[in-house]
Amino acid sequence: MSTWTLKEKSTGELAVTVEGEEWKNAVEKAFNKIAKNVTINGFRKGHAPKALLEERVSEAEREAQAVNDNANEWMRKALEENKLEPISQPELDVKSMSADKAELVFTFAVEPEAVVKDYKGLPYHMDDTTVTDEEFDAELNRMRETYADLQTKEGEAEKGDTVNIDYEGFKDGVAFDGGKAENYNLELGSGSFIPGFEDQLIGVKAGDEKELNLTFPEDYHADELKGAAVVFKVKVNEVKTKVLPEIDDDFAADVNIPNVSTAEELKKTVRERLENNKKNAAEQKADNELMDALVAKVEVDLPDVMVDEEVQNQVNQLAAQIQQYGMSLTQYLSMMGKKPEDLKKDYHDQAEKTVRLRLGLAAVAKAEGLEVTEEDLENQYKEIAEQYSMDVEKVRNLINPEMLKKDVLNQKAYDFIKENAETGENK
C-alpha cells in the first residue's frame, strides 16, 4: 500500500507500507542472507542449526536487512502505482519496523505542473529598424578607418593623429617598472594610457621633448602606482595622420566582400547588412521581452533541485566557453576574485527564470494540444547536422530524442504565443 502527499516546492512524501506475506517473506530471506555469514563455535559458517542462528540474529537485524535489500523495489512499485517520476534522489526514512509490517517514507521532488493564464495577447513590440543616413555614413567611415593609411605629418599633433614616442616614467625621481618604451605608436584620443597622458601630447611636433606630470588612478592594477604622482619624460619621434580612402571602386575591391566590386554594390551591401543587424537585434529584444512577459504569467512551485540543476548547466556552459581560450574554470574564478558558490549565486535568478519559462511553455503546449511529429524531429536533426557540418545519422545517435522532442515542443509553444501576441512598434 502506498500514498503520495505533495508538499511545498513540488517536494512530497511517498509513504509505503509493506505487510502480510510480502513482509514476512522479505524478513525470512534477509535472515537467510545474514545467517550465511554467522559463525557459531563448533559449526561451519552458516551451517549452525536454525534455532541457534535465530538466537544470534535479532529481529531488528533481519528487518533492517529486509528493508535494505528491498527498499528500491518497493519504491519502484509505488512509483508506478502513483504514476510518479522523481527529479531528485529519493531519501528514505524508516518510520517503523515490526514483525507485522514496515512503514517507509521516500521524500523526493517531482516536476511541477505549471499554470499559465492569459498567455494570448502578450505584448510583442519591435523597435524601429530603419537605418538612418547617420548610421549608414558612420559605418562607411568605420570601414574607411580600418583601411586608412598613416602618413607623416609635419605640423602639430591633433586628436586622432598617431605619435611615435620614446617615454619613461618616474615616481619620486626613480624609474618604475613597466613605465618605459621606445618607438611606441600612440593614437591620441584612444584612451590607451592613463588620463592626461594623451591630452598633453596634443600640439607636439616631431623632435619635441616634454615632461608630463600625471597621477595614476586610484583603481590602477599595480598597487605601488595607485594614486601615485609621476612624471613621464617623452620624446616625439614622428607625428602621423590618418588618410582615409575614398569610397570608390578600388576601395570596394580592397574590402574584399563576395560579389562586391563597385562602390555602389558596396554601399548596397553595407546598408543591407545594417538593416539585417538592426532587425535581428530588434527581434531578439522583442523575443526577450515576450518571454519575460510569459514568465510573469507562470504560476508554479519550483523545487530547488530544478533551479540548482539549471545553475550547474549554466556553469558548465561557461566552463566550456572559457576552455576554448585555454583557461580552466578555476583559473577564471581566481582571475575574477570569485568562489564557485559566488558564481552559482550570480546565476541563480537567471536559472530560475529559465526553468519557469521552460515549464510555462510546456503548459501552453499541453493546453493547446501541440504535438511533435516525426517530420518535426527529422527536420531538427537535419538543421543541427547542417549547423555543425555533421552527418545526420551521427547527430541522431548523439542526441537524446526525448530531450530533442521537448525542445521542439517548447519552440512550437513559443511560436504559438508569438503568433497570438499583440504586435506593434516601440516608440
Side-chain angles (χ1 to χ4, degrees):
M1 183 179 69
S2 63
T3 56
W4 168 249
T5 304
L6 186 62
K7 299 193 173 181
E8 63 179 14
K9 291 193 173 183
S10 297
T11 298
E13 295 180 348
L14 180 60
V16 179
T17 300
V18 185
E19 54 191 345
E21 289 301 314
E22 184 178 14
W23 174 241
K24 290 178 181 178
N25 290 337
V27 173
E28 183 65 22
K29 286 182 180 179
F31 168 74
N32 293 334
K33 181 178 180 179
I34 298 171
K36 289 179 181 179
N37 295 302
V38 173
T39 300
I40 296 179
N41 291 336
F43 301 94
R44 286 184 297 127
K45 183 183 289 187
H47 284 73
K50 186 175 182 180
L52 291 178
L53 291 170
E54 287 177 339
E55 290 179 5
R56 182 66 62 88
V57 181
S58 69
E59 288 290 340
E61 286 181 273
R62 303 176 206 182
E63 292 163 1
Q65 186 66 50
V67 170
N68 187 62
D69 292 343
N70 296 279
N72 285 339
E73 178 60 20
W74 291 331
M75 180 183 70
R76 185 190 64 77
K77 289 180 180 179
L79 290 174
E80 290 180 357
E81 288 174 8
N82 293 273
K83 295 181 173 56
L84 296 171
E85 290 186 21
I87 61 170
S88 66
Q89 183 64 37
E91 296 180 3
L92 171 61
D93 180 19
V94 180
K95 291 297 184 182
S96 68
M97 294 185 299
S98 68
D100 299 322
K101 63 182 180 180
E103 295 178 323
L104 316 176
V105 174
F106 298 92
T107 303
F108 52 85
V110 294
E111 183 166 306
E113 188 165 335
V115 174
V116 186
K117 298 177 181 177
D118 304 322
Y119 53 82
K120 293 180 182 178
L122 294 175
Y124 187 84
H125 298 163
M126 291 269 288
D127 288 341
D128 182 13
T129 59
T130 304
V131 175
T132 65
D133 290 341
E134 290 79 7
E135 291 170 332
F136 177 66
D137 291 340
E139 178 61 14
L140 286 179
N141 286 331
R142 186 196 65 78
M143 296 175 70
R144 292 174 70 201
E145 289 269 358
T146 302
Y147 289 86
D149 287 328
L150 285 177
Q151 295 183 1
T152 301
K153 181 178 181 179
E154 296 299 331
E156 295 181 348
E158 300 175 273
K159 189 173 182 179
D161 288 343
T162 295
V163 291
N164 180 276
I165 57 176
D166 301 336
Y167 67 85
E168 186 169 14
F170 297 85
K171 176 186 175 184
D172 298 327
V174 179
F176 55 82
D177 292 340
K180 181 177 181 180
E182 294 181 352
N183 293 314
Y184 187 91
N185 286 318
L186 174 63
E187 181 181 337
L188 302 183
S190 64
S192 304
F193 279 31
I194 64 172
F197 192 104
E198 295 168 29
D199 291 341
Q200 292 190 41
L201 291 179
I202 291 175
V204 299
K205 295 180 291 186
D208 285 354
E209 294 186 11
K210 192 170 184 179
E211 290 190 359
L212 313 181
N213 293 290
L214 300 168
T215 301
F216 273 90
E218 292 292 343
D219 59 352
Y220 194 68
H221 62 83
D223 290 338
E224 66 275 12
L225 293 175
K226 287 181 178 179
V230 297
V231 175
F232 279 95
K233 295 182 178 180
V234 181
K235 178 184 177 184
V236 182
N237 301 316
E238 189 177 15
V239 177
K240 297 180 180 180
T241 190
K242 284 181 182 178
V243 178
L244 303 182
E246 295 297 323
I247 304 294
D248 54 20
D249 292 351
D250 290 337
F251 178 71
D254 289 340
V255 172
N256 196 27
I257 296 176
N259 302 318
V260 171
S261 58
T262 68
E264 287 307 309
E265 290 172 346
L266 175 63
K267 290 177 181 179
K268 180 182 177 183
T269 299
V270 168
R271 185 172 287 277
E272 288 176 350
R273 185 178 65 193
L274 289 174
E275 288 172 347
N276 287 335
N277 288 345
K278 266 199 143 182
K279 181 182 178 183
N280 290 337
E283 286 182 346
Q284 183 65 56
K285 181 171 178 283
D287 283 342
N288 289 338
E289 290 173 349
L290 179 59
M291 287 187 283
D292 287 344
L294 175 64
V295 168
K297 297 283 186 180
V298 176
E299 298 176 10
V300 65
D301 194 11
L302 280 183
D304 293 335
V305 64
M306 291 189 78
V307 179
D308 292 343
E309 285 180 358
E310 182 57 33
V311 167
Q312 191 58 53
N313 286 340
Q314 295 186 16
V315 170
N316 292 344
Q317 289 175 16
L318 173 65
Q321 289 171 0
I322 63 178
Q323 192 173 25
Q324 295 177 357
Y325 298 96
M327 184 184 297
S328 69
L329 183 60
T330 301
Q331 292 170 323
Y332 171 81
L333 290 173
S334 177
M335 182 179 72
M336 299 298 292
K338 289 188 174 184
K339 298 178 181 178
E341 52 267 31
D342 296 329
L343 188 61
K344 290 183 177 181
K345 186 177 180 181
D346 292 343
Y347 280 138
H348 182 274
D349 289 349
Q350 181 57 44
E352 181 175 331
K353 178 179 171 182
T354 298
V355 176
R356 282 184 174 275
L357 175 63
R358 189 164 63 233
L359 293 173
L361 290 171
V364 172
K366 183 177 180 180
E368 294 298 330
L370 303 179
E371 296 181 349
V372 177
T373 65
E374 288 300 321
E375 183 181 0
D376 292 330
L377 290 178
E378 191 59 31
N379 289 338
Q380 192 66 19
Y381 283 129
K382 290 177 180 177
E383 187 177 318
I384 295 171
E386 184 176 340
Q387 182 180 355
Y388 292 98
S389 300
M390 294 172 63
D391 181 73
V392 175
E393 194 60 36
K394 186 174 182 180
V395 171
R396 197 178 283 109
N397 291 332
L398 287 173
I399 296 179
N400 183 323
E402 289 304 313
M403 293 298 294
L404 182 62
K405 190 173 181 179
K406 285 185 178 180
D407 289 342
V408 174
L409 188 59
N410 283 351
Q411 184 60 51
K412 281 195 167 190
Y414 178 72
D415 292 342
F416 177 88
I417 293 167
K418 188 172 178 178
E419 289 165 6
N420 288 274
E422 176 195 313
T423 59
E425 184 177 292
N426 286 328
K427 302 299 182 183

